[in-house]
Amino acid sequence: MSIDIKAVTKDYNGFSALKAVDIHIQNGELLALLGPSGCGKTTLLRIISGLLEPSSGEIWFDGVDVTKWETQKRQTAMVFQNYALFPHMSVEENVGYGLKIKRMPKADIQKRIDEVLEMVELSGMNDRSIQSLSGGQKQRAALARALITEPKILLFDEPLSNLDEKLRVAMRQEIRRIQQRIGITSIYVTHDQREAMAIADKIAVMNHGEILQYDRPETVYHTPSNAFTADFMGHVNILQLSHLSPATAFYRKLMQAHAFSGKSHLLLPPNEILLTDASTAADITNTIFATVSSRELLGNVVRYRLSLGETVLYADCLYRVSLSLYELGQTVAIDFSPNGIHLF
Ligand SMILES: Nc1ncnc2c1ncn2[C@@H]1O[C@H](COP(=O)(O)OP(=O)(O)OP(=O)(O)O)[C@@H](O)[C@H]1O
């Protein structure tokens, strides 16, 4: 089912939580709604599910205006961070609850329970109490309970925030696998940019109730359209063009490669920067010199903090046992390919 969010706003007593949000999600796509705490992610999810009315704007499913439809009719299902499971019930009772209240025949319910438990790899856990499950198993049970009613749309509200890092990575792959297998249109709220990139067909970056960029994960990551997105996607080396000093070799090199007009920032990822020993530089006038002001070992990469006068840049070098590291205070020469720069 496709979703169209058309100029949706939400005001809470004069506070504007959503400001004219427009998004189109194709049938079967998973959209990650990515943004910091308080940016309006949950508000938007609740409006899509029908739990909350927008102040203005419309929600369309498959070309039909559902803005006035009540929650049940919309056939969405939510998966929450805190699982929202009934603690005193067994796995089976929790998962089958949605069908029981629809008064479906017992035998049919049992069949569906077993099907969805298999789908989330909880087969045979029917009679276990919810309290006895691990965090990951609870989230699987919550997902099974959402899937059993055969919703047309799945809405995930930070589903993995309560799990430790390793389990989060495993569970997000699991959610993606199940989502693709069923081909269900999904919206996945998260404030973790790695989770969004790993799981989504499209990412919508939100801040202060506005969608700042909406595109494929690789596009949002490699070519952010604004400084907030660049920063939120985890980038360093986001430089404001007006803060660069024109009388430097660095600036000349940037100018040769790119037209600055209409742009305010540049992004030069640390892995695009090549460092060499300054003493080997042949063309002194055009060499970009920098001083190592700190360094950090990040697993197989060494991240150097470099000072180029007022400008600070980070450069990543692959760590090899056979290579010696640059020392603090050492002068190095930096180079980069013009293609490695993104201006916005
Ligand atoms: N019922 C309400 N009355 C007034 N303000 C509200 C209400 N619900 C939400 N807000 C405000 O609207 C803004 C968006 O809230 P929302 O819960 O959608 O954010 P979020 O992005 O989901 O945040 P988080 O990641 O912390 O859950 C916040 O500033 C919040 O304080």
Side-chain angles (χ1 to χ4, degrees):
M1 185 168 271
S2 67
I3 305 175
D4 281 290
I5 301 163
K6 300 185 180 183
V8 164
T9 69
K10 183 69 190 174
D11 297 322
Y12 293 114
N13 311 317
F15 171 74
S16 189
L18 292 179
K19 298 166 193 157
V21 171
D22 280 293
I23 300 177
H24 169 74
I25 307 162
Q26 285 180 39
N27 182 31
E29 267 187 351
L30 190 152
L31 169 81
L33 211 47
L34 175 70
S37 182
C39 73
K41 307 183 294 291
T42 304
T43 299
L44 186 56
L45 220 51
R46 288 168 63 82
I47 287 174
I48 293 165
S49 72
L51 291 169
L52 197 64
E53 244 184 79
S55 302
S56 65
E58 292 164 2
I59 303 291
W60 291 57
F61 291 169
D62 262 353
V64 177
D65 184 354
V66 302
T67 317
K68 301 279 181 236
W69 288 16
E70 59 184 50
T71 306
Q72 264 89 347
K73 198 176 168 192
R74 296 194 189 196
Q75 293 183 281
T76 65
M78 280 248 208
V79 180
F80 300 94
Q81 169 183 351
N82 57 8
Y83 321 120
L85 294 163
F86 302 115
H88 53 280
M89 287 187 191
S90 68
V91 169
E92 174 168 311
E93 286 166 336
N94 265 283
V95 172
Y97 185 78
L99 297 185
K100 198 173 157 200
I101 56 171
K102 282 189 177 172
R103 299 180 190 280
M104 189 187 253
K106 262 195 176 148
D108 294 347
I109 296 181
Q110 192 61 53
K111 189 163 165 273
R112 280 295 293 153
I113 289 173
D114 292 338
E115 276 171 13
V116 290
L117 286 184
E118 196 201 332
M119 211 180 274
V120 301
E121 291 175 1
L122 285 183
S123 289
M125 301 267 231
N126 303 50
D127 298 326
R128 286 276 293 273
S129 75
I130 286 296
Q131 275 117 326
S132 75
L133 300 183
S134 70
Q137 289 168 336
K138 280 183 189 153
Q139 201 46 277
R140 284 167 200 267
L143 183 55
R145 195 183 57 176
L147 291 173
I148 202 163
T149 55
E150 299 187 39
K152 298 286 196 299
I153 293 165
L154 269 182
L155 303 170
F156 296 91
D157 197 354
E158 308 228 13
L160 306 180
S161 300
N162 281 346
L163 307 179
D164 66 51
E165 168 74 17
K166 213 169 158 198
L167 194 54
R168 272 210 309 270
V169 171
M171 275 302 291
R172 76 187 185 207
Q173 289 166 356
E174 190 82 338
I175 288 176
R176 179 59 161 164
R177 182 184 64 77
I178 294 167
Q179 182 267 334
Q180 287 191 311
R181 193 174 131 198
I182 319 174
I184 186 167
T185 310
S186 302
I187 302 182
Y188 189 103
V189 161
T190 179
H191 59 257
D192 179 345
Q193 106 279 0
R194 283 169 306 169
E195 195 165 288
M197 278 194 282
I199 203 170
D201 295 299
K202 298 264 179 66
I203 294 179
V205 179
M206 267 188 106
N207 195 28
H208 297 310
E210 281 180 295
I211 305 291
L212 296 185
Q213 192 166 2
Y214 169 51
D215 219 316
R216 289 148 54 93
E218 54 273 31
T219 309
V220 174
Y221 183 77
H222 291 294
T223 53
S225 61
N226 55 82
F228 178 87
T229 300
D231 182 49
F232 206 76
M233 295 308 286
H235 287 293
V236 291
N237 297 346
I238 305 160
L239 305 180
Q240 215 166 319
L241 296 176
S242 61
H243 289 181
L244 296 176
S245 164
T248 59
F250 180 51
Y251 195 88
R252 285 200 301 277
K253 168 134 187 163
L254 293 171
M255 284 288 283
Q256 279 163 13
H258 291 277
F260 282 5
S261 70
K263 311 286 184 185
S264 59
H265 290 79
L266 80 81
L267 176 65
L268 175 54
N271 59 312
E272 294 289 347
I273 298 178
L274 187 71
L275 291 188
T276 48
D277 192 329
S279 58
T280 62
D283 176 7
I284 305 276
T285 342
N286 291 312
T287 299
I288 306 164
F289 292 106
T291 311
V292 176
S293 53
S294 71
R295 76 174 184 221
E296 205 180 351
L297 183 59
L298 310 169
N300 62 346
V301 161
V302 188
R303 173 160 293 185
Y304 291 98
R305 184 179 187 276
L306 306 168
S307 304
L308 294 78
E310 298 289 294
T311 306
V312 169
L313 279 180
Y314 291 88
D316 287 350
C317 298
L318 269 182
Y319 177 79
R320 281 200 211 95
V321 177
S322 57
L323 285 182
S324 53
L325 300 178
Y326 298 110
E327 298 301 332
L328 300 196
Q330 187 175 344
T331 305
V332 290
I334 76 169
D335 202 6
F336 48 86
S337 153
N339 298 335
I341 303 166
H342 169 62
L343 285 157
F344 55 92

